[in-house]
Amino acid sequence: MPPVLREHHRGQERIELYTHLSLYLLVLLEPILLIIWLVSAPPMANGRSLTWPLTALGLLQTVACVELLRAGLAPPAPHGSRHRLRVAFAAASSLAAMVVPLALYPRPPLLDADAVELMAGGALTFLAGPLVMAWPLSAALALLTGLAACGALAAGALDTPGGVIAEAGVVGLVAGVAFCCAHWFSGWTLGVVRELRRTREVQARLAVAEERLRFARDLHDVLGRNLTVMALKSELAVALNQQGQAGQAAAQMADVQRIAQESQDEVRAVVRGYRTADLLTEIEGARSVLRAAGVNCRVEGRAELEDERQSALAWAVREGTTNVLRHSEARWCAITLSVQDNRTVVLTIENDGVDRGCTPKGGGGIVGLTERLAALGGTVEAGPRSDGRFALCVRLPLEPSQALETMPS
């Protein structure tokens, strides 16, 4: 996998990790608040004998919500029957964590009204986020509404004051909506990141498959007709030989030999064309490959050159593209063709993926490119620049009759 595409995957994995951590921290906020309340609660006003059971009930709900959140975050996370047991367990523990503090409020030992309201409303709040992640939004909201109604009815039956029930409901509604929005948006973000990763992988595979199909099509066009003719002539030579016409059979086999040699030459031409593509074709291919790897590629300039110089510059484009994909962490790349003094064509390939701490080394590709261009009087310069970019600059002298026309991409 090219470093650019690998860096994109690492970035997406970091986004997923940070999102998971933030969601788990929201759920784990409940036991943290319970522990703070347990440590700071006055023993006479809050009934120290009940603080530990209430804390244990809150921790049980936290475990249920964490398990529900884990199931909802698992890729893929279809909303189906495999979450029903987790949802039922989380709903039952949340209902108990909501009703028990409300039921204990008017009875000795007394619990503080603010603590009761926060506990009852918080039980519904901390369930809302994981439930939205694991179930469809409409089903999750319906279940939360049902739990709130059941909790209010149960607390009313246990003679809990209506004001305390109402305040707990307000806390659960406001905080629950906030948690629902936070978890739903995080789930949507994770879906986008995963889809982006799949899309980039598909684009890379399609680019490779398209190039294979093109090469296979060229080979088929070159060899298909010749192989058919060779087969027919071979059959004819066999038939003529069986009829005693050895001379004509030998002539047919000579034609077969000639066609086979022509086919070899045509295959070499196809392979040579594959290795030394037309300059414009190579530039378009480089732009397509770079964009498939997530690099924003900009192309400027167009040249009308004779075949030898086009081939040399096409090699330079291929070498520069390979360097961007293999040896950098680029986000953008610019391929520019320009002319200097109507005598020299300049090809520049720049990218922003240079590592400032690295020392440039001469690779075999640059050495081979330098030797190829030296035969035409060209020069190659490659290395990092002061502005943090890496540039491959090729200068090739033009024939007097050649011209360059600049055309923005």
Side-chain angles (χ1 to χ4, degrees):
M1 180 185 297
V4 174
L5 197 56
R6 196 160 53 238
E7 178 63 21
H8 278 291
H9 283 186
R10 285 198 293 265
Q12 293 159 7
E13 289 172 356
R14 285 195 294 268
I15 293 175
E16 289 190 39
L17 177 62
Y18 297 153
T19 304
H20 285 200
L21 289 177
S22 63
L23 293 177
Y24 280 114
L25 286 176
L26 286 177
V27 176
L28 294 176
L29 186 62
E30 181 180 14
I32 294 174
L33 294 176
L34 285 172
I35 292 173
I36 293 174
W37 171 73
L38 180 64
V39 172
S40 61
M44 294 302 295
N46 292 279
R48 178 65 71 181
S49 60
L50 293 177
T51 54
W52 289 104
L54 290 175
T55 303
L57 190 58
L59 293 176
L60 177 64
Q61 187 208 5
T62 300
V63 172
C65 290
V66 168
E67 179 63 20
L68 187 60
L69 179 62
R70 187 187 65 82
L73 289 174
H79 304 301
S81 58
R82 72 171 185 156
H83 296 334
R84 288 177 182 171
L85 291 178
R86 295 184 177 92
V87 170
F89 177 49
S93 60
S94 299
L95 182 61
M98 178 172 51
V99 172
V100 170
L102 291 173
L104 291 175
Y105 172 68
R107 294 171 173 77
L110 297 178
L111 293 174
D112 183 73
D114 292 336
V116 169
E117 293 164 0
L118 290 176
M119 286 183 181
L124 200 63
T125 296
F126 290 107
L127 173 65
L131 189 60
V132 168
M133 297 293 295
W135 263 25
L137 183 60
S138 58
L141 294 178
L143 179 58
L144 291 172
T145 303
L147 288 176
C150 291
L153 291 175
L158 294 171
D159 298 329
T160 303
V164 175
I165 297 177
E167 290 294 333
V170 171
V171 172
L173 177 62
V174 175
V177 169
F179 271 51
C180 279
C181 293
H183 282 74
W184 181 87
F185 181 76
S186 298
W188 177 82
T189 302
L190 287 175
V192 171
V193 170
R194 291 166 181 166
E195 186 62 29
L196 178 61
R197 179 188 300 176
R198 287 192 294 267
T199 301
R200 292 194 182 281
E201 292 174 353
V202 169
Q203 285 179 339
R205 288 195 296 266
L206 286 177
V208 174
E210 183 179 357
E211 183 61 21
R212 288 176 178 172
L213 287 175
R214 186 194 69 81
F215 189 64
R217 182 176 62 249
D218 291 346
L219 284 178
H220 177 271
D221 293 342
V222 168
L223 294 179
R225 183 187 63 84
N226 290 349
L227 291 176
T228 301
V229 174
M230 291 168 61
L232 292 175
K233 285 186 172 291
S234 299
E235 293 176 3
L236 180 58
V238 171
L240 290 173
N241 186 61
Q242 291 175 348
Q243 296 174 6
Q245 301 178 16
Q248 295 183 13
Q252 295 296 328
M253 291 307 299
D255 287 343
V256 170
Q257 183 181 11
R258 176 182 57 80
I259 295 172
Q261 292 174 349
E262 292 176 355
S263 298
Q264 289 179 345
D265 294 338
E266 290 177 352
V267 169
R268 291 191 187 101
V270 170
V271 174
R272 185 164 55 251
Y274 179 73
R275 292 176 179 171
T276 58
D278 175 77
L279 177 58
L280 294 181
T281 303
E282 194 67 30
I283 289 176
E284 288 301 320
R287 174 157 51 183
S288 176
V289 170
L290 289 173
R291 286 182 175 175
V295 181
N296 183 19
C297 182
R298 177 172 54 87
V299 177
E300 292 184 357
R302 185 176 64 183
E304 295 296 337
L305 305 172
E306 47 92 12
D307 292 341
E308 191 175 16
R309 282 173 169 75
Q310 281 210 33
S311 176
L313 291 178
W315 270 100
V317 172
R318 181 168 294 184
E319 176 63 25
T321 304
T322 302
N323 289 338
V324 172
L325 291 174
R326 290 184 179 177
H327 308 305
S328 78
E329 307 291 350
R331 289 293 183 274
W332 65 266
C333 176
I335 303 175
T336 306
L337 277 170
S338 60
V339 67
Q340 293 180 349
D341 302 328
N342 292 323
R343 290 182 300 179
T344 304
V345 60
V346 180
L347 170 68
T348 305
I349 302 177
E350 293 182 287
N351 68 83
D352 64 341
V354 64
D355 185 357
R356 295 178 181 271
C358 72
T359 301
K361 300 179 181 179
I366 297 295
V367 173
L369 182 63
T370 302
E371 294 174 353
R372 180 183 296 271
L373 290 169
L376 300 175
T379 59
V380 178
E381 297 177 3
R385 293 183 172 179
S386 59
D387 57 1
R389 301 177 181 179
F390 187 92
L392 171 67
C393 184
V394 175
R395 290 181 172 84
L396 192 62
L398 284 171
E399 294 293 333
S401 60
Q402 293 176 338
L404 180 83
E405 106 181 73
T406 299
M407 181 187 68
S409 61

